[in-house]
Amino acid sequence: RAITAMNRRASKLHRTPSWSDLDLIKPFYFEAQHLTKETGIKYDVDHIIPLQGEYVSGLHIASNLQVITHTANCKKGNSFIIS
């Protein structure tokens, strides 16, 4: 489990471009923490386009983030549906 978390952090760092505005990213994490605390339901910050997708990889930037429940995030996995 620790190795998985370490690999996830390394991937996020690798997929964060130098021009990414970290001040725009932080509120997503604060919102997830706030919702978790207020509702008792675990919320995650999800990458809309996964960082390690099978066919496409997204970036760790604000426009690629959303706050969703942990359950929804687990169901989504590393998938990205092109419509």
Side-chain angles (χ1 to χ4, degrees):
R1 205 166 191 209
I3 292 173
T4 302
M6 186 174 64
N7 287 340
R8 178 88 173 127
R9 281 191 298 275
S11 175
K12 191 184 297 183
L13 284 173
H14 179 70
R15 302 296 301 161
T16 304
S18 61
W19 48 265
S20 182
D21 188 343
L22 299 180
D23 289 333
L24 294 176
I25 291 173
K26 287 178 189 175
F28 287 92
Y29 290 91
F30 289 129
E31 180 182 358
Q33 287 177 337
H34 174 74
L35 287 170
T36 297
K37 184 177 179 182
E38 290 295 315
T39 66
I41 299 168
K42 183 162 174 41
Y43 279 81
D44 293 335
V45 177
D46 172 61
H47 292 87
I48 299 164
I49 301 172
L51 297 181
Q52 297 178 330
E54 186 175 350
Y55 299 107
V56 63
S57 293
L59 297 174
H60 185 61
I61 56 175
S63 61
N64 190 36
L65 300 176
Q66 63 183 347
V67 175
I68 62 175
T69 65
H70 179 72
T71 302
N73 196 18
C74 288
K75 286 180 183 177
K76 179 181 177 245
N78 273 346
S79 65
F80 176 67
I81 307 291
I82 300 173
S83 50

